[in-house]
């Protein structure tokens, strides 16, 4: 049994009388000890998809589909059960630790809170566990009495990871955890996450717009566009041999270090993503696709086999 099975996930936002279909029938699974990366432009549905798994979306969002976590459908679970799952069994590393952490409470207090709530241990044991967690993420246990503003950006992000690991969860969701960090600290955080997943055999979902980051950390990669997964498979293969034109465009948007030609003339992608307030006919990427065909405008596109353990939502992968 998979750690996580997501089937036909759909999320619709009510905004000013309009319905924005932000996620449109997403399917994926995650095994214990596996990392799945989700990539795409802003507005592609990445964060909405993963935050819906633990029902962390605002009241304006309606969610349909199945989210089976260890065989239990969280989409149908009672709120008391969802609160028990959060942090204890599945936790989140949010983007921007400074805004995610409480500025008027010490980092030690914030790490201890889920331990005291979910594990029902005494304060002395919770403090000892907090010290172990801080040490494990490379922050001195003596900093437990510090407030978030007294730490650097990298240290705050490490504290967020310590909080996510506080109750020894089986699933971690990392929502662009390195976006605001410099490249040196980013590499340290990514290495830390990779080691923690390997050592604890937990599952991890990581969101990023940076394919190079995801390929260095994740076993599998899912690329989203207009609320759908348009390609999924082993991350290294998707980066080096993309089967969908959108994945190829994303991979080509990053210049290659040491290659002046790519640095001075990085490939881009003309146009904008489609309006998600209505139905999408044919391939949603067709208006921006450099290799589109006439049938792309009208043919319903879904994920088709595109190689070993790979799927792509492009007509060109069909025989």
């Amino acid at each position: 049994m998979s750690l996580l099975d997501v089937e036909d996930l759909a999320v619709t936002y009510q905004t000013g009388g309009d319905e924005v279909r932000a996620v449109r029938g997403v399917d994926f699974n995650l095994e214990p000890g596996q990392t799945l990366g989700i990539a795409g432009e802003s507005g592609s549905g990445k964060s909405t998809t993963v935050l819906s798994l633990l029902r962390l979306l605002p009241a304006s969002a309606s969610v349909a589909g199945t989210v089976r976590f260890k065989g239990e459908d969280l989409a149908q679970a009672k709120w008391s059960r969802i609160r028990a799952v959060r942090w204890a069994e599945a936790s989140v590393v949010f983007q921007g630790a400074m805004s995610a952490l409480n500025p008027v409470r010490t980092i030690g207090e914030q790490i201890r809170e889920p331990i005291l709530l979910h594990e029902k241990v005494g304060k002395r044991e919770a403090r000892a566990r907090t010290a172990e967690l801080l040490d494990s993420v490379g922050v001195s246990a003596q900093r437990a009495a510090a407030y978030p503003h007294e730490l650097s950006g990298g240290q705050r992000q490490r504290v967020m990871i310590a909080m996510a690991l506080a109750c020894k969860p089986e699933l971690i969701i990392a929502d662009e955890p390195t976006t605001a960090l410099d490249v040196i600290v980013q590499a340290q955080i990514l290495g830390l996450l990779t080691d923690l997943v390997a050592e604890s055999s937990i599952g991890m979902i990581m969101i990023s717009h940076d394919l190079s980051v995801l390929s260095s950390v994740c076993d599998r990669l899912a690329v989203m566009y207009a609320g759908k997964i348009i390609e999924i498979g082993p991350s290294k293969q998707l980066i080096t041999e993309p089967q969908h034109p959108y994945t190829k465009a994303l991979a080509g948007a990053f210049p290659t270090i040491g290659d002046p030609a790519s640095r001075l003339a990085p490939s881009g992608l003309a146009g904008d993503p489609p309006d998600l307030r209505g139905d999408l006919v044919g391939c949603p990427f067709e208006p921006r696709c450099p290799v589109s065909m006439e049938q792309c405008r009208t043919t319903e596109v879904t994920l088709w086999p595109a190689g070993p353990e790979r799927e792509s939502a492009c007509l060109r992968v069909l025989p």
Side-chain angles (χ1 to χ4, degrees):
M1 181 178 66
S2 298
L3 176 65
L4 180 69
D5 282 295
V6 177
E7 298 177 6
D8 200 24
L9 179 67
V11 180
T12 302
Y13 290 105
Q14 299 289 337
T15 59
D18 294 325
E19 289 189 348
V20 178
R21 297 174 58 193
V23 177
R24 303 174 176 233
V26 164
D27 301 279
F28 65 86
N29 62 72
L30 184 71
E31 303 294 335
Q34 188 179 67
T35 54
L36 172 68
I38 301 180
E41 293 173 283
S42 297
S44 61
K46 308 184 300 298
S47 293
T48 293
T49 295
V50 297
L51 293 180
S52 69
L53 304 181
L54 297 179
R55 289 158 64 174
L56 292 168
L57 296 176
S60 60
S62 59
V63 182
T66 303
V67 180
R68 289 192 180 89
F69 177 58
K70 299 190 298 184
E72 179 183 9
D73 188 0
L74 297 184
Q76 303 299 323
K78 295 182 179 180
W79 275 110
S80 59
R81 176 57 184 153
I82 294 297
R83 287 194 294 269
V85 169
R86 292 174 181 171
W87 295 112
E89 300 177 51
S91 58
V92 183
V93 179
F94 291 102
Q95 178 181 358
M98 192 61 193
S99 57
L101 293 171
N102 189 330
V104 298
R105 300 183 65 196
T106 67
I107 61 171
E109 290 176 320
Q110 296 182 65
I111 296 173
R112 287 194 295 272
E113 182 177 14
I115 299 174
L116 292 170
L117 178 64
H118 291 283
E119 298 193 2
K120 309 298 182 183
V121 299
K123 291 184 179 180
R124 178 178 296 180
E125 187 174 345
R127 287 193 182 93
R129 173 70 176 149
T130 298
E132 292 175 3
L133 286 164
L134 287 173
D135 285 336
S136 71
V137 298
V139 177
S140 172
Q142 297 177 349
R143 303 307 303 273
Y147 290 88
H149 71 273
E150 297 176 308
L151 305 177
S152 68
Q155 288 174 321
R156 288 193 293 266
Q157 202 63 42
R158 290 170 183 266
V159 170
M160 283 295 301
I161 295 172
M163 288 179 64
L165 296 170
C167 297
K168 303 177 182 177
E170 297 171 67
L171 171 66
I172 288 181
I173 297 171
D175 187 0
E176 302 205 40
T178 61
T179 297
L181 305 177
D182 63 68
V183 291
I184 295 177
V185 177
Q186 182 183 81
Q188 294 172 348
I189 296 298
L190 293 176
L192 173 62
L193 286 170
T194 302
D195 292 342
L196 291 172
V197 170
E199 292 170 3
S200 306
S201 294
I202 59 179
M204 183 173 72
I205 301 174
M206 178 179 285
I207 300 174
S208 179
H209 61 277
D210 191 332
L211 291 181
S212 62
V213 166
L214 295 178
S215 65
S216 66
V217 176
C218 301
D219 306 310
R220 296 170 65 231
L221 178 61
V223 178
M224 291 192 68
Y225 185 80
K228 292 186 174 184
I229 292 178
I230 52 92
E231 188 164 9
I232 188 169
S235 59
K236 301 296 184 183
Q237 291 184 23
L238 258 70
I239 298 298
T240 57
E241 300 176 9
Q243 296 295 311
H244 196 285
Y246 179 65
T247 307
K248 185 176 181 180
L250 285 183
F254 295 93
T256 303
I257 296 176
D259 182 3
S262 67
R263 178 175 61 84
L264 296 174
S267 61
L269 185 60
D272 298 306
D275 190 339
L276 299 181
R277 288 177 291 184
D279 293 328
L280 300 179
V281 179
C283 176
F285 186 61
E286 186 275 332
R288 308 173 72 189
C289 182
V291 294
S292 66
M293 303 178 290
E294 183 66 29
Q295 55 265 46
C296 296
R297 300 179 182 177
T298 56
T299 304
E300 183 178 356
V301 179
T302 186
L303 286 169
W304 291 294
E309 301 181 355
R310 294 187 62 177
E311 293 179 300
S312 178
C314 181
L315 291 174
R316 291 184 177 273
V317 305
L318 296 177

